[in-house]
Amino acid sequence: MADLVVFGDVLTMDDANPRATAVAVEDGRIVAVGADADVAGFIGPRTVVHDVGNACIMPGFIEAHGHPLNEAVLLGEPVVDIRPVTVPDADGVLATIAQAVADAGPEGAVLNGWDPLLQKGLDEPTLQWMNEQSPHKPLIVLHNSGHAAYFNSTAAAAAGVTEDTPDPEGARFGRDADTGELTGVAYESAAVIAIAGPVLASAAGRFPDLLAAESARLNAAGVTTVSEMAFDPGAGDEMVRQVGIKIWSDGSPWIGNIALSFAYLDTPATRALGMACSHGGANYTGEQILEISTPYYEQGWQIACHAHGDDAITMVLDAWEQMLSANPRDDHRLRLEHVGAMRPDQFRRAADLGVTCSLFVDHLYYWGDVLVDDLFGSEHGGHWAAAGSALAAGHRISFHNDGPVTPTDPLRNLADSVTRRSRGGRVLAPEERIPVEAALRAQTVDAAWQLFSEDSIGALKPGMHADLVVLSANPLAVDPERIADIEVRATVFAGATVYGSLS
């Protein structure tokens, strides 16, 4: 007999049985999916039965490129949240920084989410400005992209970083071109961690609670599986395991360090940020990408490479093609992450190599107008996160929010990819829109496939983990413009309700 039976509008994401009206669960696994009559025989005296009416039951959403460990820290104390989704305007950001400094103890203040492209009116922080904001206590302001941090002299001293400190591999500290003195900015994770680590160390003792809070946020968005590849490989089991490792080729489009074949526009925004007419640049050479990738690949690991600019993508594909030619391996599922400026021919080349892609489609909603008007124009900015081209090339794609850059919101991702509508109402490259069914696959069964987990999650069929999300409406049945308005009513993980209610 089943422990749990749920009746409703069931969208299974199982090609062999796409629609149903009931799901039966026993000991955390699905034992039956089908019509009411097919499942009725699993109901016994101890079975808990729920009928959710017209609500839609789906597999739990999968965040294929998340940072739950990092997000847990950055969305909890002592970090102050100034992301555009929390503090939308420049005045609010400046006031929050002043208050954080006033409230901070001797260990200083750290804030996360600085984004002058969205928080219009913010200037690029200088070391002098940071010192003026906090003359005596460490002050660190993390860029919303996660690829830069601004710091004052006291923070540098507390971290032991001086003008003589060597740049970490793949990262760097900003330095005056003439004197070599620090300019108060750290680029990429190794340098950011070197600066922010001492202040964030106080969170270590509370990390279990911080991670529990992050898990609750994910569950509230309907997410039952999240991937975190940004740490060294280790052991695991079916519940918590590692399938691969993350590497970086370039940085963030918002700070100008992605490697492009085309130039940033010359606009007030790009001039203010010092990247007008620039082609950006990569963090590593192709030879270094090959050198970094090969040992992990030869040990059988999946590799997920952060690559935004089209030149960076070419560099990675060149390196990986060489690696694959030297040591062929079936079904490696090497991954390119974000792929903002990836071109149709590059999607085709990646597919030919067996390389798959995870797209940061939420860029279209939050930065869509910025991409076109301020950074790249309609030709390149309009075709950002080209999901249509990816599908046309034969990819099984996934979507992600790269938390905490944008709030984890699979339903927003679905809407982004189906409508390609920016927050300002503009539709970017309508030919790159994809069907709702394909978008759903990118947050469920195809995301599971990217994580080598398609046999246990991503679809509702017997033997799979009983990970479910109950939505207020079926995404296939509503106006695509309303998909983002669908509510998550309940989230079920391994048969247990972890958010909302099935009643």
Side-chain angles (χ1 to χ4, degrees):
M1 296 295 101
D3 304 319
L4 172 69
V5 170
V6 186
F7 295 98
D9 179 10
V10 182
L11 186 58
T12 69
M13 304 310 298
D14 175 12
D15 292 338
N17 179 33
R19 303 298 292 271
T21 58
V23 180
V25 176
E26 182 179 1
D27 196 24
R29 299 265 182 178
I30 295 171
V31 292
V33 181
D36 292 6
D38 299 325
V39 176
F42 289 86
I43 298 175
R46 64 178 177 81
T47 306
V48 176
V49 179
H50 292 284
D51 188 336
V52 299
N54 294 326
C56 178
I57 303 167
M58 282 188 56
F61 293 127
I62 298 169
E63 168 60 87
H65 175 115
H67 299 290
L69 308 181
N70 183 48
E71 192 166 19
V73 173
L74 294 183
L75 294 183
E77 293 182 355
V79 181
V80 178
D81 186 2
I82 56 168
R83 293 175 300 162
V85 297
T86 306
V87 185
D89 59 87
D91 288 344
V93 170
L94 299 178
T96 305
I97 291 174
Q99 188 63 54
V101 171
D103 293 342
E107 70 281 358
V110 58
L111 302 96
N112 176 63
W114 180 277
D115 193 333
L117 289 170
L118 296 183
Q119 296 156 330
K120 300 292 187 181
L122 291 177
D123 295 322
E124 189 76 354
T126 64
L127 181 60
Q128 178 182 346
W129 185 84
M130 292 289 289
N131 286 338
E132 291 171 352
Q133 305 313 301
S134 182
H136 307 298
K137 294 182 285 190
L139 173 61
I140 300 166
V141 178
L142 304 173
H143 193 277
N144 191 39
S145 67
H147 288 265
Y150 309 100
F151 55 89
N152 66 355
S153 297
T154 310
V161 174
T162 72
E163 62 183 67
D164 297 322
T165 300
D167 289 336
E169 184 175 348
R172 64 186 175 90
F173 299 104
R175 303 176 193 274
D176 185 274
D178 297 323
T179 67
E181 295 178 347
L182 297 174
T183 59
V185 59
Y187 295 102
E188 300 305 329
S189 59
V192 170
I193 291 171
I195 286 291
V199 180
L200 296 178
S202 63
R206 296 178 291 106
F207 189 70
D209 291 337
L210 295 174
L211 188 57
E214 170 61 9
S215 298
R217 286 188 289 267
L218 292 168
N219 292 155
V223 173
T224 52
T225 297
V226 61
S227 168
E228 166 66 275
M229 289 186 172
F231 60 99
D232 289 337
D237 55 27
E238 192 175 48
M239 189 65 69
V240 180
R241 65 189 178 93
Q242 187 168 14
V243 299
I245 191 77
K246 181 183 177 183
I247 64 175
W248 287 258
S249 67
D250 63 355
S252 167
W254 320 137
I255 61 175
N257 65 341
I258 63 172
L260 298 163
S261 66
F262 52 91
Y264 281 86
L265 299 177
D266 185 358
T267 66
T270 57
R271 288 195 294 272
L273 296 173
M275 53 196 193
C277 303
S278 166
H279 286 256
N283 294 331
Y284 297 91
T285 65
E287 291 77 13
Q288 288 173 320
I289 292 292
L290 178 61
E291 181 183 2
I292 294 167
S293 300
T294 300
Y296 293 111
Y297 173 80
E298 290 179 345
Q299 294 178 46
W301 290 101
Q302 184 187 49
I303 303 169
C305 185
H306 171 119
H308 258 309
D310 61 335
D311 273 0
I313 290 164
T314 294
M315 178 180 68
V316 175
L317 291 177
D318 286 347
W320 283 357
E321 184 172 18
Q322 182 178 343
M323 181 177 69
L324 292 167
S325 297
N327 186 11
R329 187 172 96 212
D330 292 336
D331 200 23
H332 51 75
R333 303 185 204 180
L334 296 174
R335 287 172 44 178
L336 291 172
E337 308 298 292
H338 308 323
V339 298
M342 194 165 180
R343 305 186 307 264
D345 65 295
Q346 293 178 314
F347 281 114
R348 292 191 294 270
R349 182 186 178 194
D352 290 342
L353 292 172
V355 174
T356 186
C357 302
S358 186
L359 285 75
F360 194 166
V361 291
D362 214 15
H363 277 177
L364 301 174
Y365 177 73
Y366 286 101
W367 290 274
D369 297 313
V370 167
L371 284 163
V372 174
D373 296 337
D374 296 326
L375 301 184
F376 302 123
S378 59
E379 178 183 358
H380 300 295
H383 287 81
W384 202 258
S389 292
L391 292 184
H395 284 280
R396 297 180 68 175
I397 59 175
S398 69
F399 297 144
H400 62 263
N401 292 102
D402 198 27
V405 179
T406 65
T408 302
D409 191 346
L411 290 163
R412 167 65 62 195
N413 291 342
L414 300 182
D416 292 339
S417 63
V418 172
T419 69
R420 292 186 64 87
R421 190 177 296 280
S422 73
R423 188 163 51 172
R426 170 190 275 143
V427 175
L428 286 78
E431 66 272 21
E432 294 291 350
R433 293 179 293 197
I434 67 173
V436 177
E437 171 71 23
L440 288 168
R441 292 183 64 89
Q443 289 283 180
T444 55
V445 64
D446 287 348
W449 173 82
Q450 284 195 349
L451 298 176
F452 288 89
S453 298
E454 67 271 27
D455 292 334
S456 58
I457 58 173
L460 303 182
K461 55 184 178 181
M464 306 285 268
H465 285 296
D467 296 348
L468 319 173
V469 60
V470 179
L471 305 175
S472 60
N474 188 325
L476 293 172
V478 303
D479 183 336
E481 300 286 352
R482 303 270 71 85
I483 290 176
D485 298 328
I486 294 174
E487 298 176 1
V488 175
R489 292 190 174 174
T491 304
V492 176
F493 177 74
T497 302
V498 292
Y499 171 77
S501 173
L502 294 172
S503 300

